Amino acid sequence: MKLLVTGGAGYVGSVCSTVLLERGHEVVIIDDLSTGNADAVPLGAEFIEGDVADVAVDVLGTGGTPRFDGVLHFAAQSLVGESVEYPEKYWRGNVVTTLELLEAMRHSGTRRLVFSSTAATYGEPEHSPITEADPTRPTNPYGATKLAIDHAITSYAVAHSFAATSLRYFNVAGAYKSVGENRVVETHLIPLVLQVALGQREKISMFGTDWPTPDGTAVRDYIHVLDLAEAHLLALESSIEGRHRIYNLGSGAGFSVREVISACARVTGLPIPVEDAPRRAGDPAILVASSDRAIAELGWRPEHTDLDEIVADAWAYLQQLGDRSHAARR
Ligand SMILES: NC(=O)c1ccc[n+]([C@@H]2O[C@H](COP(=O)([O-])OP(=O)(O)OC[C@H]3O[C@@H](n4cnc5c(N)ncnc54)[C@H](O)[C@@H]3O)[C@@H](O)[C@H]2O)c1
Ligand SMILES: O=c1ccn([C@@H]2O[C@H](COP(=O)(O)OP(=O)(O)O[C@H]3O[C@H](CO)[C@@H](O)[C@H](O)[C@H]3O)[C@@H](O)[C@H]2O)c(=O)[nH]1
């Protein structure tokens, strides 16, 4: 297939693009590099630097034969804490941008879409694990913008025969070959803890030690980025015109912030100093996925669900990145 990938210079988009290219697909990436890296664009992909809202119409074309078989829409602002402070950045960057993309797709006749939705659409769950039938009551603007986009996609599927899938990822982690999580400003737990192990940071702050969880720290479900990439391929291949399917994607087990820090210490064999810090605004206490629907309907089989394996892949990637920049300086 010939696929348009938005946000392909970011973490998840670059890993998914790498896997798509390996499976013989043609990949064109749009990315404005607001949080991504040009270095992360895989060899073999065509790269267009720009904001999706500005360039989607030109790239997709207007009518006639569609230029692409489908779109994978990863591009977004995606930090929970930042979205509480700067909601305007999220409503414009996520909702307005995606509405422009949906219109460009409609006018060009491109109807197959896989969208990066999120666990943050659910908010504080009533029970665990979370299923797709559970209430969606986001506790932060980021989750609210992703939920609004999910609603827009449903109506495009019904009215304009889109073949759409929203994948609600839980916490993505790990790396694949030479692609991984490497943002200029990092806020995600696992890469931050590993930066402490690397000596790039003094300590890790635990945001909240008084959550209603067994050890008082927040619990998340960490999914390996490679398992996530496989789900995208399955979603693309099985998409159905006129339907918007929604799937949770997680490993099905919850790990607390303390447990993640312990896993990082175990894998690296290095000490990781910690400090207690206040809760971060917008955070729910516990997010754990039921991925039964994706397993039953997509035939998805997550293979890398062991937390230590996920951390080990992220660690190998960060070390190799350090070696590469060291070599480049010589
Ligand atoms: N990482 C996670 O744990 C996680 C979990 C759930 C959902 N998601 C979703 O997955 C997607 C990818 O997340 P990520 O962790 O790779 O984030 P990321 O920040 O690493 O990647 C996002 C990419 O999109 C680009 N981008 C942003 N706005 C753009 C625009 N308007 N036009 C063009 N490019 C733009 C950025 O430059 C970046 O390269 C996001 O939609 C995010 O909401 C991520
Ligand atoms: O220095 C830190 C960083 C994070 N945390 C905590 O660690 C957990 C995980 O945080 P983080 O890695 O920032 O991920 P989330 O805020 O859970 O959000 C991620 O996972 C969501 C799905 O669950 C996605 O929607 C988001 O895009 C993605 O950033 C949270 O409880 C944080 O409060 C700390 O205690 N200290």
Side-chain angles (χ1 to χ4, degrees), residues 105-123:
M105 288 180 66
R106 181 166 76 88
H107 288 299
S108 66
T110 318
R111 295 203 162 80
R112 198 189 311 235
L113 172 68
V114 180
F115 171 61
S116 305
S117 189
T118 168
T121 52
Y122 294 107

Side-chain angles (χ1 to χ4, degrees), residues 72-131:
L72 291 100
H73 183 35
F74 299 97
Q77 303 301 318
S78 62
L79 304 178
V80 168
E82 183 189 61
S83 78
V84 176
E85 215 175 332
Y86 305 106
E88 62 284 358
K89 183 172 173 186
Y90 283 72
W91 287 101
R92 178 167 294 283
N94 293 350
V95 177
V96 175
T97 300
T98 305
L99 293 178
E100 295 289 349
L101 176 67
L102 293 176
E103 278 296 87
M105 288 180 66
R106 181 166 76 88
H107 288 299
S108 66
T110 318
R111 295 203 162 80
R112 198 189 311 235
L113 172 68
V114 180
F115 171 61
S116 305
S117 189
T118 168
T121 52
Y122 294 107
E124 197 68 68
E126 278 166 11
H127 58 86
S128 191
I130 301 171
T131 73

Side-chain angles (χ1 to χ4, degrees), residues 10-12 31-32 34-36 51-52 74 142 146 169 172 183:
Y11 167 45
V12 180
D31 200 297
D32 65 1
S34 51
T35 56
D51 186 327
V52 171
F74 299 97
Y142 163 62
K146 290 281 182 170
Y169 324 158
V172 191
R183 302 181 188 83

Side-chain angles (χ1 to χ4, degrees), residues 24 79 199 233 246 272 300:
L79 304 178
L233 282 158
I246 296 181
I272 297 173
W300 183 59

Side-chain angles (χ1 to χ4, degrees), residues 170-171 220-224 227 248-255 288-291 295 300 302-307 310:
F170 283 59
N171 289 53
R220 294 289 182 274
D221 179 341
Y222 294 86
I223 171 176
H224 197 294
D227 284 331
N248 288 346
L249 296 175
S251 296
F255 293 96
V288 178
S290 159
S291 306
I295 290 167
W300 183 59
E303 284 178 7
H304 310 279
T305 54
D306 179 59
L307 181 63
I310 294 174

Side-chain angles (χ1 to χ4, degrees), residues 78-80 118-120 142 169-172 187-190 192 204-207 218 220 222 257 280 283-284 287:
S78 62
L79 304 178
V80 168
T118 168
Y142 163 62
Y169 324 158
F170 283 59
N171 289 53
V172 191
T187 65
H188 290 84
L189 182 63
I190 291 179
L192 284 180
I204 187 77
S205 306
M206 296 189 295
F207 296 149
R220 294 289 182 274
Y222 294 86
V257 170
R280 190 175 65 181
D283 272 353
L287 290 175

Side-chain angles (χ1 to χ4, degrees), residues 151-169:
H151 288 312
I153 293 173
T154 303
S155 45
Y156 271 70
V158 172
H160 305 307
S161 305
F162 274 41
T165 311
S166 285
L167 299 178
R168 290 192 172 155
Y169 324 158

Side-chain angles (χ1 to χ4, degrees), residues 6-38:
T6 73
Y11 167 45
V12 180
S14 62
V15 173
C16 288
S17 296
T18 302
V19 174
L20 289 167
L21 288 161
E22 283 177 357
R23 303 289 167 88
H25 297 291
E26 211 179 317
V27 172
V28 177
I29 288 174
I30 301 177
D31 200 297
D32 65 1
L33 304 181
S34 51
T35 56
N37 271 305

